[in-house]
Amino acid sequence: MSVAMNKDELSEYLAQVFPQVHKDFVVEELTEDSITMRLVVEERHLRPGGTVSGPSMFGLADVCVYAMILSRKGRQSLAVTTSSSMDFLRKPEGAADMIAQCRLLKLGRSLAVGDVLIFSEGADSPVARASMTYSLPPAGSAAAAFG
Amino acid sequence: MSVAMNKDELSEYLAQVFPQVHKDFVVEELTEDSITMRLVVEERHLRPGGTVSGPSMFGLADVCVYAMILSRKGRQSLAVTTSSSMDFLRKPEGAADMIAQCRLLKLGRSLAVGDVLIFSEGADSPVARASMTYSLPPAGSAAAAFG
Amino acid sequence: MSVAMNKDELSEYLAQVFPQVHKDFVVEELTEDSITMRLVVEERHLRPGGTVSGPSMFGLADVCVYAMILSRKGRQSLAVTTSSSMDFLRKPEGAADMIAQCRLLKLGRSLAVGDVLIFSEGADSPVARASMTYSLPPAGSAAAAFG
Amino acid sequence: MSVAMNKDELSEYLAQVFPQVHKDFVVEELTEDSITMRLVVEERHLRPGGTVSGPSMFGLADVCVYAMILSRKGRQSLAVTTSSSMDFLRKPEGAADMIAQCRLLKLGRSLAVGDVLIFSEGADSPVARASMTYSLPPAGSAAAAFG
């Protein structure tokens, strides 16, 4: 195994490709097969009652697996989400950032799969669990990655 | 079967409880066991390349099943998403609104399940498929709905 | 669209490739983008309490989507399940066969997706919902289909 | 936290309630929030090509989460699977037993969630990933657990 981008290179690249949302997400730690990312929770991520919205947690899980693929395959790589599943386990703390711990379970020729546990920062029990599958089109392919 | 809120009552109620996002979502059609909703696609729903973001489609599917539960159980009802799965099938058209067709597959004592097909408006083939499970705590329960 | 195998050809081919289990499954109806299949429920499909087991329903959903792919791509086609999700909605009737109605939502170059509703025969409300993603390796490929 | 059944009590109880299949499954290790189980692979678990079938792996993941709930809630407890998702990552070794490592992510009042990694014995990379949600009806309830 080898890494195509380290933590700083990955952070910089995410800022380029997601100019609208990159400030929401911070890469906390990166290894060959895991990543920890933070969602900096702002008013716009909240739902009435002060909990973090489902779409915000979906976006966090999704960006984790995408970032893992980039860090291994490099910045020219194409990847699109094809399947996902999430379980919402507990009420998140609206006042706390969310911390996502992602494992890369598979990085194949055409598919990558990661799973994610999401925590309210400082809490021991996970708020949500997710798994995400990405389709990886051949490099240089003009084809959409949707298979 | 009976309906607790009709289309107009439901639309008005969603505007009250989701002040931040209700303008994104329009109830197009409502029956006892199905709903059609529109996501009015704006710049903020898009990703680079002009496609609608995954979290935006997740949010659309989620609000469909929630709206179905409200329309049947009434406005005082509590419901929280506990499980979800989505498949992303084709590239959405960034310039088109998204139309979600939801079926209520189960409305039980403590769980409700719906599935959703999402289309770019005017297209024949679905862009995404979703299923969502909601936990329904007893009326008057102070308990969180997370089970 | 075109069909590579009709209902009789498909039934015959399933009997060849699944000698151990093909008598469990009967193709009831086949169109270009849907299939109805029957699980002939026997003692070995049941769990204590007389309900049909989860693995039996998983197998039924899985074979539906596989059969749809075969009917369109032909008998030489390779396909392996990569992702699945199921919701179990109601207690099945142990004494009744199970009827699965499957829609082919996508048949792409490298991925196929179908969803399935499963009923106890004669009942109006579904017992389970499933969606299945298959990876389709290139024809003639020696590569495993796991991506 | 406390455990209602230890490994030996759990194994004995599974043999009572699943007389048809209990010999397939062996409890290898049990803690308060994790379990390791073995699927003793026999001819009937295999598919043409010598790989372990999808339904066999689904059954293994399902029994893991069920056994975790039993070990914590005790033998009188009711629990039925309501949602599941699985990703199939690699071709299993048909000649090897399968080892499932399960974490109990939530054990609530009415819902329990576990996730599972499945390995061919002796291999480093997982063959499949699963998550399972169980509905837990109140003790003494005559109601079905399907919510």
Side-chain angles (χ1 to χ4, degrees):
Chain A
M1 281 196 283
S2 66
V3 169
M5 282 194 272
N6 66 24
K7 183 178 141 183
D8 290 344
E9 293 163 332
L10 178 61
S11 299
E12 194 180 321
Y13 185 66
L14 290 173
Q16 285 174 36
V17 292
F18 295 125
Q20 299 138 312
V21 297
H22 83 276
K23 284 181 183 162
D24 292 1
F25 301 115
V26 179
V27 180
E28 300 272 314
E29 199 181 336
L30 175 68
T31 75
E32 279 194 348
D33 51 15
S34 71
I35 194 168
T36 303
M37 291 189 77
R38 171 188 300 269
L39 173 66
V40 182
V41 172
E42 306 278 0
E43 186 66 24
R44 70 182 173 283
H45 300 118
L46 301 183
R47 280 284 163 81
T51 70
V52 177
S53 76
S56 297
M57 287 190 273
F58 179 92
L60 174 59
D62 198 26
V63 82
C64 279
V65 181
Y66 183 62
M68 280 256 48
I69 295 168
L70 285 178
S71 77
R72 291 284 293 277
K73 291 263 191 180
R75 68 194 72 203
Q76 76 289 2
S77 58
L78 298 173
V80 300
T81 314
T82 52
S83 295
S84 68
S85 75
M86 285 193 83
D87 296 298
F88 299 93
L89 307 166
R90 292 170 183 85
K91 193 173 185 295
E93 300 287 336
D97 283 355
M98 311 221 77
I99 305 296
Q101 298 173 344
C102 171
R103 302 182 294 190
L104 189 63
L105 298 177
K106 176 195 173 74
L107 183 63
R109 192 179 38 85
S110 62
L111 291 176
V113 179
D115 72 355
V116 185
L117 287 181
I118 298 178
F119 299 81
S120 289
E121 188 171 25
D124 287 334
S125 297
V127 159
R129 183 213 65 75
S131 44
M132 297 273 164
T133 300
Y134 273 76
S135 176
L136 311 173
S141 162
F146 281 82
Chain B
M1 282 196 284
S2 67
V3 170
M5 282 195 272
N6 65 25
K7 183 179 141 182
D8 291 344
E9 292 164 331
L10 178 62
S11 299
E12 194 179 321
Y13 185 67
L14 289 173
Q16 284 174 36
V17 292
F18 294 125
Q20 299 138 310
V21 296
H22 84 275
K23 283 180 183 161
D24 292 1
F25 301 115
V26 179
V27 181
E28 299 271 314
E29 199 181 337
L30 176 67
T31 75
E32 279 193 348
D33 51 16
S34 72
I35 194 168
T36 302
M37 290 189 77
R38 172 188 299 268
L39 173 66
V40 182
V41 172
E42 306 278 1
E43 185 66 25
R44 69 182 173 284
H45 301 117
L46 301 182
R47 280 283 164 82
T51 70
V52 178
S53 77
S56 297
M57 288 190 272
F58 179 94
L60 174 59
D62 198 27
V63 82
C64 279
V65 181
Y66 184 63
M68 280 258 45
I69 295 169
L70 284 178
S71 77
R72 291 285 294 278
K73 290 262 189 180
R75 70 193 69 202
Q76 77 289 0
S77 58
L78 298 173
V80 301
T81 314
T82 52
S83 294
S84 68
S85 76
M86 285 194 83
D87 295 298
F88 299 94
L89 306 167
R90 291 170 184 87
K91 195 174 184 295
E93 300 287 337
D97 283 355
M98 310 221 77
I99 306 295
Q101 297 174 345
C102 170
R103 303 181 294 190
L104 188 63
L105 298 178
K106 175 194 175 72
L107 183 62
R109 190 177 40 83
S110 62
L111 291 176
V113 180
D115 72 354
V116 184
L117 287 182
I118 297 179
F119 298 82
S120 289
E121 188 171 26
D124 287 334
S125 296
V127 159
R129 182 212 66 74
S131 43
M132 297 273 165
T133 301
Y134 273 75
S135 176
L136 311 172
S141 161
F146 281 84
Chain C
M1 281 196 283
S2 67
V3 169
M5 281 194 274
N6 65 23
K7 184 178 140 183
D8 290 344
E9 293 164 332
L10 179 61
S11 299
E12 194 180 321
Y13 185 66
L14 291 173
Q16 285 174 34
V17 291
F18 295 126
Q20 299 138 311
V21 297
H22 83 276
K23 284 182 183 160
D24 293 0
F25 301 116
V26 179
V27 181
E28 299 272 314
E29 199 182 336
L30 176 68
T31 75
E32 279 194 348
D33 51 15
S34 72
I35 194 168
T36 302
M37 291 189 76
R38 171 187 301 269
L39 173 65
V40 182
V41 173
E42 306 278 0
E43 185 66 24
R44 69 182 173 284
H45 301 117
L46 302 182
R47 281 284 163 81
T51 70
V52 177
S53 77
S56 297
M57 288 191 272
F58 179 93
L60 174 59
D62 198 27
V63 82
C64 279
V65 181
Y66 184 63
M68 280 257 46
I69 295 168
L70 284 178
S71 77
R72 291 284 294 278
K73 291 261 189 181
R75 69 193 70 202
Q76 76 290 0
S77 58
L78 297 173
V80 300
T81 314
T82 52
S83 294
S84 68
S85 75
M86 285 194 82
D87 296 297
F88 298 94
L89 306 167
R90 293 170 183 84
K91 194 174 186 294
E93 300 287 337
D97 282 355
M98 311 221 78
I99 306 295
Q101 298 174 345
C102 171
R103 303 182 293 191
L104 188 63
L105 298 178
K106 176 195 174 74
L107 183 63
R109 190 178 40 84
S110 62
L111 291 176
V113 180
D115 72 354
V116 184
L117 287 181
I118 298 178
F119 299 80
S120 288
E121 188 171 25
D124 288 334
S125 296
V127 159
R129 181 212 67 74
S131 43
M132 297 273 165
T133 300
Y134 273 75
S135 176
L136 312 172
S141 162
F146 282 85
Chain D
M1 281 196 283
S2 66
V3 170
M5 281 195 273
N6 65 25
K7 185 179 140 182
D8 290 344
E9 292 163 332
L10 178 61
S11 300
E12 195 180 320
Y13 185 66
L14 290 173
Q16 284 174 36
V17 292
F18 295 125
Q20 299 139 310
V21 296
H22 84 275
K23 283 180 184 162
D24 292 1
F25 301 115
V26 179
V27 181
E28 299 272 313
E29 199 181 337
L30 176 68
T31 75
E32 280 194 346
D33 50 15
S34 72
I35 195 167
T36 302
M37 291 189 77
R38 171 188 300 268
L39 172 66
V40 182
V41 173
E42 306 278 0
E43 186 65 26
R44 69 182 173 283
H45 301 118
L46 301 182
R47 281 282 164 82
T51 70
V52 177
S53 76
S56 297
M57 288 191 272
F58 179 92
L60 174 60
D62 198 27
V63 81
C64 279
V65 182
Y66 184 62
M68 280 256 47
I69 295 168
L70 285 178
S71 77
R72 291 285 293 276
K73 292 260 190 182
R75 69 193 70 202
Q76 76 290 0
S77 58
L78 299 173
V80 300
T81 314
T82 52
S83 294
S84 68
S85 75
M86 284 193 83
D87 296 298
F88 299 93
L89 306 167
R90 291 170 184 86
K91 194 173 185 293
E93 300 288 336
D97 283 355
M98 311 221 77
I99 305 295
Q101 298 174 344
C102 170
R103 303 181 293 190
L104 188 63
L105 298 177
K106 176 195 174 74
L107 183 63
R109 191 178 39 82
S110 62
L111 290 175
V113 180
D115 72 355
V116 184
L117 287 182
I118 298 178
F119 299 81
S120 289
E121 188 171 25
D124 287 334
S125 296
V127 159
R129 183 214 65 76
S131 43
M132 297 272 165
T133 301
Y134 273 76
S135 176
L136 312 172
S141 163
F146 282 84

